[in-house]
Amino acid sequence: PLQSAPQVVLPKSTITMSQAEHDNEVNLHEDEEGHTAKVSSYSELLAKQIKSAPGDGDDATLRSVSHALKSAKRTSGPALRTMGVPSYADLQALAKKAEESSSAKAVGFALPLESGADNKPALSDFGLKVTTILRNLTPAELYERALRYEKATFVVSSGALTTLSGAKTGRSPLDKRIISNDSDVWYEPHSPNFRMEDDEFMMNRETAVDYLNSCDRLYVFDGFAGWDPDHRIKVRVICARAYHALFMHNMLIRPTPEELHNFGEPDWTLYNAGQFPANRFASGNSSPTSIDINFNRREMVILGTQYAGEMKKGVFTIMHYLMPKRGVLSLHSSANMSREDGSVSLFFGLSGTGKTTLSADAKRMLIGDDEHCWTERGVFNIEGGCYAKCIDLRQESEPEIWSAIRFGTVLENVVFDKATREVDYHDSSITENTRASYPIDFIPNACIPCVGPHPTNIILLTCDAFGVLPPVSKLTPQQTMYHFINGFTAKMAGTEVGVKEPQVTFSACFGEAFLVHHPTVYAEMLAEKMKRHQADAWLVNTGWSGGGYGVGKRMSLKITRAIIDAIHDGSLAQEECSEMPVFGLHIPNKCNNVPDEVLTPWKTWASRSEYDAACNNLARAFVRNFRKYEDRASDNVKSAAPQVSTEVASQIKDDQITELHEEVKRLRMEREQLRLENTDLRRSSSDLGAAAPLQR
């Protein structure tokens, strides 16, 4: 055996170079000859390679995270360490501390204690479990851990990290639960919010915390939601996958080193235990997936889904509740700003309307692509990143998104070539909902910080696949509220399994799934802010012209961009308008670079009678949908509804009666199904000898 460790000699450069390059490098190579690393062992060499990050071993952060992971039956959370695994001697020291004091503490650790039968601290296997906490790691560090510990994770040719989100490749809106004592929360029949009681939430929280406590390593990301310092909230994400930590690193606003040092206690804590299922037999759960937002405890729990978009939209739902309480309007919209005069436009639209494409304008700066708030000072982006759809992505049509997919970006559920690692964005064999998450500063024309003045234009985008609505119309305040509450577009064939023909789709406020207050709350705030700041509102149809889907043609992107340009330069607001029958929309008579006949929809149809029939059918759908909200809508807003004929109005009433009968029938069947399930559960509990039967 050697008496001392051998010296490590670094190898010469093996880079191939030309003769000229070699001649220029001779002296350098001679200087390098014989140099050795200033270490006595390979372990020391590795130790010198990486510098320790400032803030490692922050006891206050450890105690805060440990407290967040405290379960209902324990006096504290798990033993935590920022890096590495403690030695056996460390564990012995912890055990000794536990014997000496009920409030045991150790440097770098927060020791968990359990209560025994005599109410004295009792050390258990859980008490000896030490979890490594990895807080606010850089993308490079998260790449390393994702590649090492997580299956189906790869680096593709662009440098992005690609992974799979498991069985769920999209959100699970029917599994979202809201816990709140606030009477303002919208729980009515047509609401997207399903009520959950506090004790039901605590069962799911306990499941999530127990799962996270069992992990060898946890990732913590502390960041902000909201670019306005007066209205931002501090969010702490605790998760078990590096993929999820990198995703939230991109989507939340990343703190500066000073902000991270002074972060303190979070306003909200998000527990992502998505790898572990919820108990579907527990009260309050409808499946193994549960996404629970507790406004009383300021906590969010995710079980049974690894789809990262649940975290993003969960934070947005929180802001959608909090901001209106402060007099701030939260909006599911994109926003951009003129480079010349600083004017801001807000774009609302559902999937397939062109919101992302039209708001990404080389002549304007992007404030944000999805979530914003309108305050007394102007608008601000809620997020620190973008979450773009990737299906059929092409460099020519969306160069900004294409260029943003690089090192630091997370790609979800895409298919790539085994050898070249080139991504095939046209392959939807896993899902149509392929996504890319990247920081907003990956977009060249991003406005940093992501804030802007009061908007001058509100643009409601719709994709009318029935060819009824004009390509552009100017809206009155009442019409703006009406169309904003309805949130109309058409679901196209191929977007979902079983959809073969275009279907009328409504989503209140162009984001119904995330509403916490009634739609009229947001609509009234929007109208008030538009009036105060003299903003114009427009309805822009990016759908069909000359007939519906299969007969007419989709509006060209060139025409739509010309309309948006005319809105931005102010010329369209100066044009005279003609009123459209039935819908009462005001259609500009002229628009730069748009043929006059295209502006009037019925002039592009071969048959006026066929157009009128399609118009009445669409109007009927609008009126039927709005009946869900009319009990809380003002008379002014109701007056903006399409003026349907007496015959159509009678048909709508008949349809409503039929729908009510169908709803009663459905509820009776559901009640009978629950009765049968309850009977089975009682029998099962009886077989198990339970003292009391299980109830559902």
Side-chain angles (χ1 to χ4, degrees), residues 334-337 339 355-356 359-361 364-370 372 381 386 400 438 440 443-451:
S334 61
N336 64 21
M337 181 170 65
R339 294 178 182 272
K355 181 180 69 171
T356 302
S359 60
D361 188 334
R364 298 172 68 85
M365 300 177 71
L366 181 69
I367 298 175
D369 75 331
D370 197 40
H372 292 84
N381 188 355
C386 302
E400 292 87 0
Y438 48 85
I440 193 166
I443 298 293
N445 61 332
C447 176
I448 307 292
C450 301
V451 297

Side-chain angles (χ1 to χ4, degrees), residues 265-295:
E265 291 297 322
D267 298 315
W268 276 78
T269 302
L270 193 161
Y271 301 91
N272 189 339
Q275 298 98 304
F276 199 82
N279 183 352
R280 64 189 179 91
F281 291 111
S283 179
N285 296 336
S286 57
S287 78
T289 298
S290 192
I291 302 99
D292 312 328
I293 302 175
N294 192 324
F295 289 105

Side-chain angles (χ1 to χ4, degrees), residues 384-397:
C386 302
Y387 194 36
K389 284 190 174 180
C390 292
I391 195 67
D392 293 326
L393 179 66
R394 293 179 176 84
Q395 185 175 8
E396 315 80 62
S397 57

Side-chain angles (χ1 to χ4, degrees), residues 304-367:
T305 173
Q306 298 180 61
Y307 180 65
E310 295 288 8
M311 295 184 288
K312 163 191 159 67
K313 290 305 186 185
V315 173
F316 179 51
T317 302
I318 292 166
M319 294 292 279
H320 234 10
Y321 169 78
L322 295 176
M323 291 300 104
K325 292 280 191 180
R326 302 181 185 179
V328 174
L329 175 59
S330 49
L331 300 164
H332 189 224
S333 70
S334 61
N336 64 21
M337 181 170 65
S338 170
R339 294 178 182 272
E340 298 175 358
D341 59 11
S343 61
V344 169
S345 290
L346 296 179
F347 294 80
F348 297 86
L350 301 174
S351 178
T353 59
K355 181 180 69 171
T356 302
T357 301
L358 294 172
S359 60
D361 188 334
K363 301 186 291 295
R364 298 172 68 85
M365 300 177 71
L366 181 69
I367 298 175

Side-chain angles (χ1 to χ4, degrees), residues 79 86-106 109-113 121-130:
S87 65
Y88 180 69
D90 291 330
L91 292 175
Q92 283 184 317
L94 287 173
K96 185 177 180 181
K97 284 281 186 181
E99 292 174 1
E100 294 173 353
S101 170
S102 63
S103 58
K105 294 179 182 177
F109 298 95
L111 182 66
L113 301 170
L123 194 64
S124 67
D125 288 343
F126 175 80
L128 291 174
K129 174 76 170 68
V130 179

Side-chain angles (χ1 to χ4, degrees), residues 429-606:
S429 55
I430 297 176
T431 178
E432 289 270 351
N433 191 35
T434 54
R435 293 274 184 167
S437 164
Y438 48 85
I440 193 166
D441 53 24
F442 280 20
I443 298 293
N445 61 332
C447 176
I448 307 292
C450 301
V451 297
H454 296 290
T456 55
N457 288 292
I458 310 299
I459 301 172
L460 309 184
L461 298 170
T462 183
C463 175
D464 174 18
F466 309 99
V468 170
L469 298 178
V472 61
S473 53
K474 198 169 188 299
L475 301 176
T476 65
Q478 294 80 12
Q479 288 174 332
T480 303
M481 294 175 70
Y482 183 86
H483 287 275
F484 179 69
I485 291 172
N486 259 334
F488 161 72
T489 194
K491 187 181 294 181
M492 299 306 302
T495 56
E496 291 184 11
V497 176
V499 178
K500 300 188 188 222
E501 295 291 334
Q503 296 179 359
V504 174
T505 301
F506 295 99
S507 182
C509 306
F510 295 94
E512 183 174 304
F514 321 116
L515 299 181
V516 185
H517 303 284
H518 192 275
T520 56
V521 172
Y522 304 95
E524 288 167 2
M525 291 183 71
L526 177 62
E528 187 274 331
K529 287 186 176 292
M530 285 178 57
K531 180 180 179 181
R532 185 188 305 178
H533 302 291
Q534 300 180 336
D536 290 328
W538 308 86
L539 181 65
V540 174
N541 175 24
T542 63
W544 268 250
S545 176
Y549 176 79
V551 178
K553 292 182 179 179
R554 180 138 196 199
M555 209 78 62
S556 73
L557 182 59
K558 181 180 179 182
I559 286 178
T560 303
R561 284 201 182 278
I563 290 170
I564 299 298
D565 288 343
I567 291 173
H568 285 153
D569 65 24
S571 62
L572 200 60
Q574 306 303 318
E575 295 290 345
E576 293 185 359
C577 298
S578 301
E579 186 172 324
M580 174 186 179
V582 182
F583 278 87
L585 300 172
H586 299 88
I587 305 172
N589 295 331
K590 297 275 186 183
C591 180
N592 293 336
N593 301 313
V594 178
D596 293 349
E597 62 274 11
V598 174
L599 294 172
T600 308
W602 56 86
K603 290 183 179 179
T604 63
W605 281 59

